[in-house]
Amino acid sequence: MGDYKPQEIEAKWQKRWAEHRVFETEADVEGRQPSDKTEEKKTQDPPFAKGAKGRPPEKKPKYYVLEMLPYPSGTMHMGHMRNYTIGDVVARVKRMRGFNVLHPMGWDAFGLPAENAAIKNHTHPRVWTNKNIGEFQRTLRRFGFSYDWRREISTCEPEYYRWNQWFFLRMLERGIAYKKKSRVNWCPKCCTVLANEQVVNGGFCWRHEDTRVEAREIEQWFLKTTAYSEQLLEDLKQLEGGWPDRVIAMQRNWIGKSTGAKVLFEVAADGAQPGIAVSQEKIEIFTTRIDTIYGASAIILAPNHPLVARLIAGTAGQAAAEKKLAELKTSSVKTEDIATAEKDGFFTGRYAVNPFNGEKVPIWVGNFVLLEYGTGAIMAVPAHDERDFEFASKFGLPIPVVVSKEKSLNTEGTEKEHRGHGDNKPAQPFTEYGYSVNSGAYSGLKSEDAIEKMASDAEAKGFGKKETIFRLRDWGISRQRYWGTPIPVIYCEKDGMVPVPDKDLPVLLPANPKLTGEGESPLATDPEFVNVKCPKCGGPARRESDTMDTFVDSSWYFYRYCDPHNDKQPFDPAKAGYWFPIDQYIGGITHAILHLLYSRFWCKVMRDLGLVRHSEPIARLFTQGMVQKGGVAMSKSRGNVVGAEEMAQKYGADTGRLYTLFAAPPEKDLEWSEESIDGAWRFLNRVYRVVDKHAGEVASRKERFNAEGTESAEFAEKRTQDQGAKSAPGAPTEKERELLRKAHQALKRVTQDFEGRWHFNSAIAQIMELVNAIYAAEPLEEGVRPAVQKEVLELVTLMLAPMTPHLAEELWEMLGHKDGLWTVEWPAINEELAKEDEVEIPVQVNGKLRGRVKVAAGATQDEVMQLAAADAGVAGHLNGKAIRKVIFVADKMLNLVVG
RNA sequence: GCCCGGGUGGCGGAAUGGCAGACGCUGAGGACUUAAAAUCCUCCGGGGAUUUUUCCUCAUGUGGGUUCGACUCCCACCCCGGGCACCA
């Protein structure tokens, strides 16, 4: 009898899995095996079991399961492990069920932390990154995750990032990549651009915490995600059911579709100050509530709206207005407290004409109007908008009411009412739909109808049109950093911007950059990198020194796994066509918006390039909960990290895996508890011991049992005599029936938990119950033969296999199997064995539990009724009263309604 | 403010309209042991009655509703977590 020694067992089986190449994908394209290594595989693979698992690879259904690739920083903690354990269980279950499974892993290896670490330690980002990759890889192997390591990718390698450049060039050709001026964070002390993460404490430089970050406008590269706004929104419908609702909601929110109308207001020529001819100026506003336009009491422009300067020029209050404008512009730098900032603004001194009724409305500038959204100008309708109401209240603008909750006969109010002055000023804005009032010909219409009619009329008369706008912005991909993909363009004095020809890819990062964290971007200061010849004319030219946002790397990496060593194209479309879409993607909720949105965008671009046929790369998404300690997520800065290596050393990988699966359902946050890990450890020991004992008994009693654990006829007869059983020697005893029933009931529920809801915690609970039952049925002499016990122990082993794979292999071997567990299929449920012979039925009187009766399974209502009536507890509550109604659910319950 | 989650014993959690608290942790008691560890067994929501046994009653954030029956479905509210937010 031995002890459970996870360190030995885990090393042993990891070695065997590698030798037998168990986790390597069997086919890449339908009907075709991977060209490499096919012959070796055939000779090394053990024969397949029967059923789906035994089919030739090209006949198996494919299954692509993927966990979000990690950024290799520091060491792996149990938060990482939880993510990969969930994915590994799924991968292993699918393999057992006969799927051709793709389960790869790689490294999101570019990024700022590597560069920062390099600056600090005077080393190269590659050194730091590769060291971390080495550690991460070792830890993943230590946990026995079933990755096909032949497909490992690292995004910082030229073999990978050259395809980022290739995609960029294709997008450039199609006008999807473009350059424009944009605001960046600038630290005046470092004299460099800061990433958003480097801006700390609400606007200060991370290295100079006394220095406020400034906004600077510089030329930057963008990808036109907005070209796909409508599709990105529309295709979310395809994801319903496969993605968590909240992620879909977050994406929808982020894209922010808003339907409304744009309306042109002419600036009045006879403004407050005559003499300045601005009458040709027009202000375009966007509104979702064109039906409220009769209630507009001002036009409000964003402080940085291009028209503002021209409007205030020459007015009486020009000097004061300019001063105020400068104030508004600087105070709008902070992004965090914009939402809570008080409304502020000023009157420009000019008026605009409402195209619907010819009324003059004052033109204001307001701090709450955003240039980036809509047209950067709004019409203020204080009676029907919260913000406008607040603004009008502060500055004394009229608040005319033009929408009424009820349809009133008197649709034209008094002049006083209309102006919204004095007693009739509403106390609150009414922002819902209702009926138009005080709105000329439109009065009396329902808001929905008024919106439709007024927008059409505006369009017909040429001063407006229906319009849909989006909140989604184009994706700024320029980074003034070293450790990223160089953007492949060249600026020639003669030819202007010239794309790097495909044949010159990859544009390699210079090997030995000067990294200081200060001054110009690192690539810009490297003369060898920057000074090049123009690919067109051969004249002197300068290379682009920006690198790409690392979100570019992670937007398409999962396609590369299909064909990781292709040096002709990013991937073979046939291979991607076979594997995609990803059947199951698993990762943290933190990436619910950007990573997934960019990935969806990239897929649509690739579709338009003809590389793929699908529009959505990910069919199903699962967002697992965080692993917390002390109520907060594990992080190095908080010092509450439980390292994965530490865990493996102390308890072994299987205990770590089991614990993270058992402690909480996978979508919920998990609070780390050292005591509960002991529970998982104890359980695995318990399983090991019972199998060990079983094996020992079979070996030590050869005279009674044969090698398969079957009892000799002589002993069987003796035993049945002892027990006084009437059944034949070979028939199962009552105890055996009970054990087999429990086993198959557990199998049924575990199968469901794996296939459907992923309630791994209750699956484990089922297995624990079964193991408890095995213990309760001990010792063997009292009615459970080794053959039966073996059958049950095999089921336990197979059910544990996806979760604690090393231990399961070991147990399988201890149970006398020569071939590895990886050759075995998921067991079939035996419904006949799972069936109960006898059930206990609760009996309710008026819905309250009053008694229980034992009946044979499938007993009829009458049979149950007879027994129930005889039950003392039930009878007491019936009290001779008439039974008005009987509700009977076979094998479930009986409810008697008395009155 | 809007949009998603969630609220069940001392703790993690089970139960998707049918016996609330499976399974595990902690705790208490017992067996084994010179002893400890490990292991095995028993008990463990509150109140009450009865005292070996059992029975009654309350209880799944709060208040209503639907139903023979509700942790589960519907309405309103409270609290916690997350996302978005002067988005016109």
mmCIF file of all heavy atoms in Angstrom, chain B residues 1 7 14 71 74 76:
data_model
loop_
_atom_site.group_PDB
_atom_site.id
_atom_site.type_symbol
_atom_site.label_atom_id
_atom_site.label_comp_id
_atom_site.label_asym_id
_atom_site.label_seq_id
_atom_site.Cartn_x
_atom_site.Cartn_y
_atom_site.Cartn_z
ATOM 1 P P G B 1 -30.161 57.664 -9.278
ATOM 2 O OP1 G B 1 -31.282 58.042 -8.514
ATOM 3 O OP2 G B 1 -29.038 56.900 -8.883
ATOM 4 O "O5'" G B 1 -30.564 57.358 -10.805
ATOM 5 C "C5'" G B 1 -31.524 58.146 -11.467
ATOM 6 C "C4'" G B 1 -31.103 58.297 -12.898
ATOM 7 O "O4'" G B 1 -29.772 58.869 -12.958
ATOM 8 C "C3'" G B 1 -30.986 56.991 -13.666
ATOM 9 O "O3'" G B 1 -32.247 56.588 -14.168
ATOM 10 C "C2'" G B 1 -29.995 57.339 -14.769
ATOM 11 O "O2'" G B 1 -30.633 58.026 -15.831
ATOM 12 C "C1'" G B 1 -29.049 58.314 -14.043
ATOM 13 N N9 G B 1 -27.842 57.659 -13.525
ATOM 14 C C8 G B 1 -27.470 57.563 -12.202
ATOM 15 N N7 G B 1 -26.333 56.944 -12.036
ATOM 16 C C5 G B 1 -25.927 56.620 -13.333
ATOM 17 C C6 G B 1 -24.768 55.939 -13.795
ATOM 18 O O6 G B 1 -23.840 55.473 -13.116
ATOM 19 N N1 G B 1 -24.755 55.818 -15.182
ATOM 20 C C2 G B 1 -25.730 56.291 -16.010
ATOM 21 N N2 G B 1 -25.545 56.083 -17.317
ATOM 22 N N3 G B 1 -26.819 56.933 -15.595
ATOM 23 C C4 G B 1 -26.854 57.054 -14.261
ATOM 24 P P G B 7 -28.021 35.105 -5.564
ATOM 25 O OP1 G B 7 -27.706 33.721 -5.176
ATOM 26 O OP2 G B 7 -29.293 35.424 -6.247
ATOM 27 O "O5'" G B 7 -27.921 36.030 -4.270
ATOM 28 C "C5'" G B 7 -26.757 35.959 -3.424
ATOM 29 C "C4'" G B 7 -26.927 36.917 -2.266
ATOM 30 O "O4'" G B 7 -27.311 38.211 -2.787
ATOM 31 C "C3'" G B 7 -28.010 36.503 -1.277
ATOM 32 O "O3'" G B 7 -27.543 36.655 0.065
ATOM 33 C "C2'" G B 7 -29.155 37.463 -1.545
ATOM 34 O "O2'" G B 7 -29.862 37.819 -0.363
ATOM 35 C "C1'" G B 7 -28.433 38.700 -2.091
ATOM 36 N N9 G B 7 -29.294 39.422 -3.030
ATOM 37 C C8 G B 7 -29.592 39.041 -4.315
ATOM 38 N N7 G B 7 -30.406 39.866 -4.910
ATOM 39 C C5 G B 7 -30.661 40.848 -3.964
ATOM 40 C C6 G B 7 -31.480 42.005 -4.032
ATOM 41 O O6 G B 7 -32.152 42.400 -4.984
ATOM 42 N N1 G B 7 -31.460 42.720 -2.858
ATOM 43 C C2 G B 7 -30.754 42.383 -1.740
ATOM 44 N N2 G B 7 -30.872 43.204 -0.706
ATOM 45 N N3 G B 7 -29.978 41.296 -1.653
ATOM 46 C C4 G B 7 -29.984 40.586 -2.796
ATOM 47 P P A B 14 -23.692 26.887 -6.433
ATOM 48 O OP1 A B 14 -23.182 26.518 -7.770
ATOM 49 O OP2 A B 14 -24.608 28.013 -6.282
ATOM 50 O "O5'" A B 14 -24.362 25.639 -5.688
ATOM 51 C "C5'" A B 14 -24.365 24.474 -6.257
ATOM 52 C "C4'" A B 14 -25.128 23.395 -5.549
ATOM 53 O "O4'" A B 14 -25.272 23.565 -4.126
ATOM 54 C "C3'" A B 14 -26.549 23.273 -6.031
ATOM 55 O "O3'" A B 14 -26.540 22.647 -7.288
ATOM 56 C "C2'" A B 14 -27.162 22.414 -4.939
ATOM 57 O "O2'" A B 14 -26.816 21.062 -5.114
ATOM 58 C "C1'" A B 14 -26.454 22.936 -3.693
ATOM 59 N N9 A B 14 -27.249 23.884 -2.912
ATOM 60 C C8 A B 14 -27.001 25.217 -2.696
ATOM 61 N N7 A B 14 -27.883 25.809 -1.913
ATOM 62 C C5 A B 14 -28.768 24.782 -1.613
ATOM 63 C C6 A B 14 -29.923 24.739 -0.822
ATOM 64 N N6 A B 14 -30.411 25.805 -0.174
ATOM 65 N N1 A B 14 -30.573 23.559 -0.729
ATOM 66 C C2 A B 14 -30.087 22.501 -1.376
ATOM 67 N N3 A B 14 -29.007 22.421 -2.144
ATOM 68 C C4 A B 14 -28.387 23.598 -2.214
ATOM 69 P P C B 71 -39.783 28.996 -1.383
ATOM 70 O OP1 C B 71 -39.783 27.545 -1.290
ATOM 71 O OP2 C B 71 -40.326 29.801 -0.259
ATOM 72 O "O5'" C B 71 -38.305 29.499 -1.710
ATOM 73 C "C5'" C B 71 -37.936 30.838 -1.473
ATOM 74 C "C4'" C B 71 -36.735 31.194 -2.284
ATOM 75 O "O4'" C B 71 -35.760 30.138 -2.170
ATOM 76 C "C3'" C B 71 -36.973 31.325 -3.779
ATOM 77 O "O3'" C B 71 -37.486 32.592 -4.103
ATOM 78 C "C2'" C B 71 -35.573 31.135 -4.334
ATOM 79 O "O2'" C B 71 -34.822 32.322 -4.222
ATOM 80 C "C1'" C B 71 -34.983 30.092 -3.359
ATOM 81 N N1 C B 71 -35.029 28.730 -3.917
ATOM 82 C C2 C B 71 -34.077 28.402 -4.908
ATOM 83 O O2 C B 71 -33.273 29.267 -5.264
ATOM 84 N N3 C B 71 -34.086 27.160 -5.449
ATOM 85 C C4 C B 71 -34.980 26.273 -5.042
ATOM 86 N N4 C B 71 -34.953 25.070 -5.603
ATOM 87 C C5 C B 71 -35.957 26.574 -4.035
ATOM 88 C C6 C B 71 -35.939 27.802 -3.507
ATOM 89 P P C B 74 -39.710 36.670 -13.850
ATOM 90 O OP1 C B 74 -39.195 37.225 -15.118
ATOM 91 O OP2 C B 74 -38.895 36.772 -12.620
ATOM 92 O "O5'" C B 74 -41.132 37.312 -13.549
ATOM 93 C "C5'" C B 74 -42.107 37.470 -14.580
ATOM 94 C "C4'" C B 74 -43.292 38.218 -14.030
ATOM 95 O "O4'" C B 74 -43.912 37.439 -12.967
ATOM 96 C "C3'" C B 74 -42.949 39.537 -13.343
ATOM 97 O "O3'" C B 74 -42.798 40.588 -14.274
ATOM 98 C "C2'" C B 74 -44.158 39.729 -12.427
ATOM 99 O "O2'" C B 74 -45.283 40.207 -13.128
ATOM 100 C "C1'" C B 74 -44.414 38.300 -11.967
ATOM 101 N N1 C B 74 -43.749 37.977 -10.681
ATOM 102 C C2 C B 74 -44.333 38.443 -9.490
ATOM 103 O O2 C B 74 -45.373 39.111 -9.558
ATOM 104 N N3 C B 74 -43.752 38.150 -8.304
ATOM 105 C C4 C B 74 -42.629 37.424 -8.273
ATOM 106 N N4 C B 74 -42.097 37.161 -7.076
ATOM 107 C C5 C B 74 -42.011 36.941 -9.469
ATOM 108 C C6 C B 74 -42.599 37.244 -10.634
ATOM 109 P P A B 76 -41.802 46.869 -11.602
ATOM 110 O OP1 A B 76 -41.822 48.062 -12.490
ATOM 111 O OP2 A B 76 -40.704 45.889 -11.710
ATOM 112 O "O5'" A B 76 -41.869 47.369 -10.085
ATOM 113 C "C5'" A B 76 -42.781 48.394 -9.709
ATOM 114 C "C4'" A B 76 -42.776 48.553 -8.210
ATOM 115 O "O4'" A B 76 -43.165 47.313 -7.577
ATOM 116 C "C3'" A B 76 -41.413 48.856 -7.588
ATOM 117 O "O3'" A B 76 -41.030 50.211 -7.727
ATOM 118 C "C2'" A B 76 -41.655 48.443 -6.142
ATOM 119 O "O2'" A B 76 -42.402 49.413 -5.437
ATOM 120 C "C1'" A B 76 -42.496 47.186 -6.332
ATOM 121 N N9 A B 76 -41.644 45.984 -6.349
ATOM 122 C C8 A B 76 -41.186 45.266 -7.437
ATOM 123 N N7 A B 76 -40.430 44.242 -7.113
ATOM 124 C C5 A B 76 -40.376 44.295 -5.728
ATOM 125 C C6 A B 76 -39.730 43.491 -4.759
ATOM 126 N N6 A B 76 -38.984 42.436 -5.069
ATOM 127 N N1 A B 76 -39.881 43.825 -3.461
ATOM 128 C C2 A B 76 -40.630 44.889 -3.155
ATOM 129 N N3 A B 76 -41.292 45.719 -3.962
ATOM 130 C C4 A B 76 -41.128 45.366 -5.246
#
